[in-house]
Amino acid sequence: AESYVNDLEPPAFQNLPELRALKDELEAVPGFRRVMMSGSGTSIFCIGNPNDKAAFDQEFATREDLQVFYAEFIDRQEGQWYERP
């Protein structure tokens, strides 16, 4: 089983309840496997892809108080250097 833990989430959510609300909203998005706060609350990241990217962008990327960045994992075999496809 995968474990994702950030011990700083509870105190950060206590001090800024809007962080907890944002995490709850993101956890409700179909397609995300995990939603976590990074570090001491500088960002919240999602693992997975929203099933409906256009709807996700409409809901989250248009907010003035949020910035949305998409990233991809680079997969490679152990001992192999990454090569551009």
Side-chain angles (χ1 to χ4, degrees):
E2 295 178 319
S3 295
Y4 297 89
V5 177
N6 181 344
D7 292 329
L8 296 175
E9 276 191 1
F13 293 161
Q14 183 176 358
N15 286 319
L16 291 169
E18 58 266 36
L19 287 177
R20 174 81 247 180
L22 176 59
K23 181 177 177 182
D24 290 344
E25 284 184 78
L26 291 167
E27 286 179 327
V29 173
F32 290 144
R33 293 178 299 167
R34 295 285 188 265
V35 177
M36 294 287 303
M37 187 181 79
S38 173
S40 59
T42 56
S43 62
I44 292 181
F45 65 93
C46 307
I47 297 177
N49 294 302
N51 291 351
D52 186 343
K53 185 176 179 293
F56 175 81
D57 286 343
Q58 180 67 31
E59 174 67 25
F60 293 96
T62 58
R63 293 186 188 179
E64 290 186 20
D65 60 339
L66 294 180
Q67 293 182 358
V68 174
F69 302 95
Y70 291 95
E72 295 180 19
F73 288 104
I74 297 175
D75 294 327
R76 62 175 176 82
Q77 297 293 323
E78 184 176 341
Q80 178 187 37
W81 290 98
Y82 172 76
E83 294 181 17
R84 193 175 293 274

